Amino acid sequence: MIRTVDYHTAGEPFRIVTGGVEPLPGVRILDKRRYAAENVDHVRRLLVHEPRGHADMYGCFVTEPEDDGAHLGVVFFHNAGYSTACGHGTIALVTWAIESGLVEGPEVVVDVPSGRLPTVARIEEGRVVSVRFRNVPSFVHARDLEAAGHRVDVAFGGAFYASCPERVEPADLPRLIELGRAIKADLEADQEIVHPREPELRDVYGVIFWQEEGEDPLTQRNVTVFADGEVDRSPCGSGTSARLALLHDEGRLATGDPLLHRSIVGTEFTGRVAEESAEGVITEVEGSAHLTGRHEFVLQPDDDLGKGFLLR
């Protein structure tokens, strides 16, 4: 029996494993991430794949932090494996940690695979209304690369994202999913995309399709296609950091100015460049998460189909 608590952040699901899995060993979160991939990946498949999940499910294992400088750690998972960053998941995790009494808040520090994230929750009448996280340094990796017949920019916001201007409407999703897969494949075939300090932070995690929506404040609408054609219903938290790095580099967004980042379903994150550093810009992203349910999942011994499958 595996127990979970489910949230959504701006429409994007997040399944938090709260019982039935032994603690992940390892000193660093990257060590724990590696252990999860090698030893408990059957749990990821059980919770993400159908019939308990779906192709766009997201979740995490809660872990011990790397040291006493943080309150908790997290290993994120999705339909194709384990990500290095997840902004919407961080927002949901902190909301759950405070509302469940695991931590007091409102300031919560979380160790994620890409680094250590300070967060601040806004709490009203005992309920977490929103969470703002301060991300690891974000930076522009490359501009004007050709992939799948399109010109894209690549930036890091905890993971590497390619940005491509396109119309963003629900009716466009089948086309954008295939285009996102093609752009990701082309970039990874032609480019070595790796973090300058941490070799495990590498390759293109997602493709952000974006369109302009306003100037005061700067407003953009986006959809991120990541992992194996997975679609982010939220504005994508780490992707928002990548977009902030690009916009700041272009001179379109000054330090401290807000970006209103809308998702394909109309939900919103607010992001800003808080400061500049030698390694890139330090961004802050804020959004809200909501409890959707609690589950006890089982796998009967004779249920071969129940071990998981995916249909797009």
Side-chain angles (χ1 to χ4, degrees), residues 66 76 84-87 90 109-119 133-140 155-161 195 197-198 201 237-242 244-245 272-285:
E66 293 187 357
F76 302 114
T84 59
C86 179
T90 300
V109 181
V110 184
D111 282 338
V112 309
S114 59
R116 177 162 288 177
L117 307 186
T119 77
F133 68 89
R134 190 176 180 91
N135 208 353
V136 298
S138 300
F139 57 87
V140 177
F156 181 83
F160 286 101
Y161 292 89
H195 195 279
R197 289 191 298 101
E198 179 50 70
L201 307 181
S238 51
T240 296
S241 290
L244 288 166
R272 59 178 46 84
V273 172
E275 62 182 77
E276 300 176 42
S277 76
E279 297 179 272
V281 294
I282 307 300
T283 65
E284 294 182 342
V285 180

Side-chain angles (χ1 to χ4, degrees), residues 167-190:
R167 191 181 73 167
V168 178
E169 298 292 342
D172 298 318
L173 269 182
R175 177 180 63 86
L176 294 178
I177 290 170
E178 292 311 307
L179 180 56
R181 283 172 161 162
I183 289 173
K184 175 180 166 71
D186 278 7
L187 287 174
E188 291 185 347
D190 296 339

Side-chain angles (χ1 to χ4, degrees), residues 7 30 35 49 59 63 65 69 90 127 135 139 152 156 188 190 198 210 220 231 248 261 293 305:
Y7 279 76
L30 285 171
Y35 179 90
H49 291 188
T63 77
T90 300
R127 179 178 168 273
N135 208 353
F139 57 87
V152 303
F156 181 83
E188 291 185 347
D190 296 339
E198 179 50 70
W210 61 272
Q220 295 185 342
V231 176
H248 187 270
H261 219 201
L305 186 64

Side-chain angles (χ1 to χ4, degrees), residues 23-51:
L24 302 180
V27 176
R28 303 177 68 202
I29 300 298
L30 285 171
D31 300 331
K32 300 176 191 292
R33 176 176 176 258
R34 203 175 307 115
Y35 179 90
E38 295 171 355
N39 296 277
V40 294
D41 197 54
H42 60 285
V43 176
R44 177 192 67 84
R45 294 194 305 271
L46 193 75
L47 298 179
V48 170
H49 291 188
E50 298 180 53

Side-chain angles (χ1 to χ4, degrees), residues 14-250:
F14 196 67
R15 179 161 286 169
I16 303 168
V17 178
T18 59
V21 178
E22 292 296 318
L24 302 180
V27 176
R28 303 177 68 202
I29 300 298
L30 285 171
D31 300 331
K32 300 176 191 292
R33 176 176 176 258
R34 203 175 307 115
Y35 179 90
E38 295 171 355
N39 296 277
V40 294
D41 197 54
H42 60 285
V43 176
R44 177 192 67 84
R45 294 194 305 271
L46 193 75
L47 298 179
V48 170
H49 291 188
E50 298 180 53
R52 296 166 189 82
H54 50 80
D56 299 296
M57 179 56 70
Y58 216 114
C60 79
F61 298 114
V62 184
T63 77
E64 291 293 321
E66 293 187 357
D67 56 49
D68 58 9
H71 295 90
L72 70 161
V74 60
V75 170
F76 302 114
F77 55 71
H78 49 68
N79 75 4
Y82 301 84
S83 60
T84 59
C86 179
H88 94 272
T90 300
I91 291 168
L93 180 68
V94 171
T95 302
W96 164 78
I98 294 173
E99 292 185 342
S100 68
L102 180 66
V103 298
E104 183 177 353
E107 297 183 3
V108 181
V109 181
V110 184
D111 282 338
V112 309
S114 59
R116 177 162 288 177
L117 307 186
T119 77
V120 179
R122 184 160 59 92
I123 303 172
E124 296 180 2
E125 298 180 352
R127 179 178 168 273
V128 178
V129 175
S130 68
V131 173
R132 183 179 74 251
F133 68 89
R134 190 176 180 91
N135 208 353
V136 298
S138 300
F139 57 87
V140 177
H141 172 78
R143 285 196 177 272
D144 200 32
L145 300 178
E146 184 175 354
H150 290 67
R151 310 303 297 188
V152 303
D153 301 321
V154 176
F156 181 83
F160 286 101
Y161 292 89
S163 282
C164 181
E166 283 283 323
R167 191 181 73 167
V168 178
E169 298 292 342
D172 298 318
L173 269 182
R175 177 180 63 86
L176 294 178
I177 290 170
E178 292 311 307
L179 180 56
R181 283 172 161 162
I183 289 173
K184 175 180 166 71
D186 278 7
L187 287 174
E188 291 185 347
D190 296 339
Q191 306 284 331
E192 183 178 26
I193 299 174
V194 59
H195 195 279
R197 289 191 298 101
E198 179 50 70
E200 286 193 51
L201 307 181
R202 60 185 307 116
D203 301 328
V204 176
Y205 175 57
V207 179
I208 303 172
F209 299 104
W210 61 272
Q211 68 180 40
E212 300 284 357
E213 290 217 328
E215 289 291 339
D216 189 20
L218 180 60
T219 303
Q220 295 185 342
R221 181 179 173 93
N222 86 95
V223 65
T224 301
V225 178
F226 65 98
D228 184 13
E230 191 161 344
V231 176
D232 199 330
R233 276 78 171 151
S234 83
C236 187
S238 51
T240 296
S241 290
R243 292 293 304 150
L244 288 166
L246 287 166
L247 291 165
H248 187 270
D249 182 66
E250 293 165 10

